[in-house]
Amino acid sequence: MLKYTAKRILLAVVTTFLILTLLFIMLQAMPGSPFNDEKITQVQRAALEAKYGLDKPLYIQYFNYVKSMLRGDFGVSYVIQKNMPISELLKVRVPVSLQIGGQAVILGTIIGIFLGIVAAIKRNSFADSFATFVSVIGVSFPSYVFALAMSYFIGFKMEWLPLLYTTSHPFLSTIMPTISMCMFSMATVARFARTEMVEVLGSDYMTLADAKGIPTRRLIGVHALRNTLIPIITVLAPLTMELMTGSLVVEQIFAIPGLGSLLVTAIQFNDYNVVLAVIFFYSIAFILMMLVVDILYGVIDPRIRLAKEERKV
Amino acid sequence: MSQGKTVLTDAHFVWAKEHDLGTDQVYDARSFWKDAVARFCKNKGAVFGLVMIVMIIALAILGPSISGYDYRTQEMTQRNLPPHIAGWDNAPIFNGKYEGYNVYEEKGIQDVTHIFGTDTLGRDMFARTWTGARISLYVALLAILIDTIVGMSLGLISGYFGGKIDFLIQRISEILSTIPTTVIVTLLIVVMKPGLTSITIALMITEWIGMCRVSRAQMLRLKEQEFVLASKTLGESTFSIIFKEILPNVFGQIIVMCMMTIPNAIFTEAFLAFIGLGIPAPLASLGSLISDGYKSLTMYPFLVLFPVVVLAMLMLSFNLMADGLRDAFDPKMKEM
C-alpha cells in the first residue's frame, strides 16, 4: 500500500512540474509583451523589465517562476486590475466556483446513483427507458444548452429565480447554474451505476444471499449497493475536469464572478499572467482530485492496488 | 418363444405428425457485418441519429444556397428580424412577429424570407447557422482522421512491438491524460492565433489518446494468436501483419471508439468558440453564434435558439449512433 501511494504521489509531483514547465514555455512563447504601450521609452522598459525580473537569464527566470508559483504567488495582473496581486483576485473567486462546482457534483452524483440503480433493478421497464433517455440527453447536450433554456424560461419568463448572479441572493442565484452543470455528472454516474448494478445483481454472492432468504430491500440496500458505489469513485476525477470546462461557459451566461469567468475575461484582454494562474489552479485541482481518487480507491478496493502494481511490473 | 414372436408390419406403426417431429433447422450463416447491420437497424435511437446526421449534413451543404443569402452580407436595414417565411404571416411560427406585431409588415418587406431571422448586423441566420454547422462537421471528420491515422496506428504499433516504443508512447499518453484537456487546448490557442489551424492542432494533440489505448489493448489480445504466428512463419512483412491481418479483426471496436470521440471533438470546438477562441469573424461556427446570441437572449431569443438546437441535435445524434454501433458490434455489452 505504501509503495502504491508513493508511486501515485510521485506521479502527481512530476505532473505538477511538467505543467509548470509547460506554462513557463508558453509564457515565453506568448505573443506581445506586457509593456507594449507605445509611450514607454527604452529606459522605462528596461526599468520595468528589471522590476519584474525579465532581464535575467532564462533558467533563473524559470527557477524564480517555479518557486513563486508553488508559494502561491502568481504575480500581478497586468490588464484586468492593474498591479492587483492575482492571488487576491483568486481569493474572492475561488469560493464561488467551488461552491457551485461542489453542489453540482453532489447533486449530480446522488440523482445519478438513484437513476442508475432504479434502472438496473427494474430492467427493461419504463423506469429503465426513462433513465436511459435522461442519461443520453445529459451526456449529449452541452451544459450551456440547459443553462440558456433555464435562464430564458425560469429566469426571464417566469422570474422565479434571479436571471443573473446577485450577491443579495447568493444561494438562489446558484440554483440554475448548479442544475445545468450537474446534468453531465448525473448522466455519467447514472450510466455507470446501472452497468455496475446489473453486474453485481448477476453475481454468485447475490444469488447466495437471495437463497439464504435475505429480504429484497436489505439485499439491494446493503449487499448490492456498496459494491456498486465503489467503482463510481473512479469517474469523479474526469467529472471534475468536465465541470471546470462547463464552469467557463455557465459562469459566463449567469455572470457569476468565479474562476471560469475570470479566465474568459483574461483571455479576451490578453492578461497572460491571469490566464496562466487560473490554468495552473485548474491543473492542480485536477491533479489533486486524481491523486485522492487513486489512493481512496486503493484503500477501499485492494484488488485495484494489486492489479495496478502487477501491470506496472 | 416361438408363439410370442410377432412380425412387425406397417400397421404397428403410426406415421409421425409433422408438428411432432423435432427437426434441426439450419439457418443461413450470416456474416458478422450483416449481423451488425441488422442489429443496428433494429435500434430506433441509432437509426434516428443516422437520419438526423444525414439531414444536418445535407442542410449544411445546401443550407446557405437555399436561403439565397451568404453568411457575411450585412443588411443594415434588416437587423434583428425575427424568423419569417414569405406568405406565412398568419402561421403560428415563422410569421415574422416580434412581441405581437409583424416587423416585416411594418418595414414593408413582407416578401423577404429569413427562416431563422437576422442577427444584429442584418446577416441571415439561416445561412450563418448552416455555415457554422459545416465547421462542426469538419471537426467531426477531423476527429475520425485523427483517431484512425494517429490514434489507431500508434496504438497498434505500440501494442505489437512492445518494448521501448510501447514505453515511450504509453508515457506520453499517460502524461497528456493527467493534464486537463481544457488546459492544453486553451493554452495552445492563446499562444497561436485563434483559427481553424490552431483548433486542428489542438484536437490533434488531445483526441488520439483514447483510441490509442483501445487499439493497443486489442492488439495485445490478438498478437499471440495462431493466425499471426502463421503469417509470421510464412514471411509476411510486419506492416502487412499489423494492417492486413490484425486490423480487420478489431475494426468494430475502432469504429465504435471513433464515433465516441466525435461528440467530444464537436463539443471542444463549440466550447472554444464560446469563450472567444474559435473561428474569427465574419466566419461563424455554432459555438460563436451561441456566444454572440446569448447576450441578447432576453431580447432576441431566436438568435440563440437555432444554433443551440442544431448543436444539441448534432451531439445527440452522434451519441445515439455511437451507442447503436457499440451494441451492434458487441452484443454482449448490451446485456450489461
Side-chain angles (χ1 to χ4, degrees), chain A residues 11 15 18-19 22-23 26 29-31 123 136-137 139-142 144-145 148 151-152 156 163 191 194-195 198-199 241-242 245 248-249 252-253 264 267-268 272 276 279 282-283 286-287 290, chain B residues 171 174-175 177-184 186-188 190-192 264 267 270-271 274-277 287 290 294 297-299 301 304 308 311-313 315-317 319-320 323 326 334-336:
Chain A
L11 187 70
T15 317
L18 213 96
I19 286 174
L22 198 73
L23 291 183
M26 291 290 167
M30 293 280 186
R123 255 169 90 191
V136 168
I137 295 278
V139 170
S140 305
F141 291 2
Y144 48 88
V145 174
L148 288 170
S151 69
Y152 186 71
F156 176 62
L163 185 60
R191 277 184 166 196
R194 182 181 180 277
T195 315
V198 167
E199 208 178 297
M241 191 155 92
E242 212 52 56
T245 317
L248 289 184
V249 177
Q252 202 71 1
I253 289 174
V264 177
I267 288 172
Q268 278 158 3
Y272 297 135
L276 295 185
I279 280 179
Y282 274 158
S283 311
F286 181 62
I287 291 169
M290 290 239 287
Chain B
R171 287 302 89 77
E174 207 166 78
I175 288 167
S177 60
T178 48
I179 309 173
T181 323
T182 320
V183 167
I184 301 179
T186 316
L187 265 182
L188 254 174
V190 168
V191 172
M192 297 187 289
N264 237 333
F267 174 75
F271 155 77
F274 191 95
I275 62 171
L277 290 175
I290 295 168
Y294 88 90
L297 177 72
T298 52
M299 298 261 287
V304 76
V308 161
L311 180 68
M313 286 323 282
M315 299 270 293
L316 180 68
S317 309
N319 268 315
L320 284 173
D323 283 356
R326 189 197 58 209
K334 198 177 182 179
E335 292 302 306
M336 303 271 286

Side-chain angles (χ1 to χ4, degrees), chain A residues 60-117:
Chain A
I60 293 182
Q61 280 190 40
Y62 174 70
F63 186 69
N64 286 338
Y65 182 72
V66 170
K67 208 167 65 184
S68 54
M69 284 301 256
L70 288 181
R71 259 204 228 124
D73 170 17
F74 302 123
V76 294
S77 160
Y78 290 134
V79 187
I80 295 179
Q81 263 167 304
K82 213 159 187 150
N83 291 332
M84 172 86 148
I86 294 171
S87 45
E88 292 293 311
L89 275 178
L90 292 183
K91 215 178 269 171
V92 204
R93 284 155 184 273
V94 170
V96 185
S97 289
L98 222 54
Q99 185 203 346
I100 296 175
Q103 284 173 357
V105 169
I106 294 168
L107 188 70
T109 314
I110 292 174
I111 301 178
I113 289 173
F114 179 75
L115 272 180
I117 285 173

Side-chain angles (χ1 to χ4, degrees), chain A residues 4-181:
Chain A
Y4 172 79
T5 314
K7 227 177 212 170
R8 295 286 115 188
I9 292 175
L10 187 72
L11 187 70
V13 171
V14 169
T15 317
T16 310
F17 270 95
L18 213 96
I19 286 174
L20 278 172
T21 315
L22 198 73
L23 291 183
F24 184 72
I25 295 170
M26 291 290 167
L27 198 62
Q28 300 301 318
M30 293 280 186
S33 125
F35 324 113
N36 41 10
D37 193 337
E38 279 172 14
K39 283 179 227 152
I40 293 178
T41 61
Q42 276 302 336
V43 184
Q44 280 171 319
R45 184 187 297 267
L48 275 172
E49 282 185 349
K51 184 185 169 196
Y52 291 113
L54 296 176
D55 54 344
K56 302 216 173 64
L58 221 52
Y59 67 92
I60 293 182
Q61 280 190 40
Y62 174 70
F63 186 69
N64 286 338
Y65 182 72
V66 170
K67 208 167 65 184
S68 54
M69 284 301 256
L70 288 181
R71 259 204 228 124
D73 170 17
F74 302 123
V76 294
S77 160
Y78 290 134
V79 187
I80 295 179
Q81 263 167 304
K82 213 159 187 150
N83 291 332
M84 172 86 148
I86 294 171
S87 45
E88 292 293 311
L89 275 178
L90 292 183
K91 215 178 269 171
V92 204
R93 284 155 184 273
V94 170
V96 185
S97 289
L98 222 54
Q99 185 203 346
I100 296 175
Q103 284 173 357
V105 169
I106 294 168
L107 188 70
T109 314
I110 292 174
I111 301 178
I113 289 173
F114 179 75
L115 272 180
I117 285 173
V118 169
I121 294 171
K122 304 206 183 287
R123 255 169 90 191
N124 300 328
S125 68
F126 171 73
D128 190 9
S129 320
F130 177 74
T132 311
F133 177 74
V134 170
S135 62
V136 168
I137 295 278
V139 170
S140 305
F141 291 2
S143 50
Y144 48 88
V145 174
F146 302 110
L148 288 170
M150 274 194 290
S151 69
Y152 186 71
F153 290 109
I154 299 175
F156 176 62
K157 286 271 168 178
M158 308 286 187
E159 293 180 11
W160 285 345
L161 291 168
L163 185 60
L164 298 176
Y165 187 87
T166 55
T167 37
S168 50
H169 297 289
F171 178 68
L172 283 181
S173 315
T174 60
I175 293 180
M176 286 200 290
T178 305
I179 295 177
S180 51
M181 273 164 64

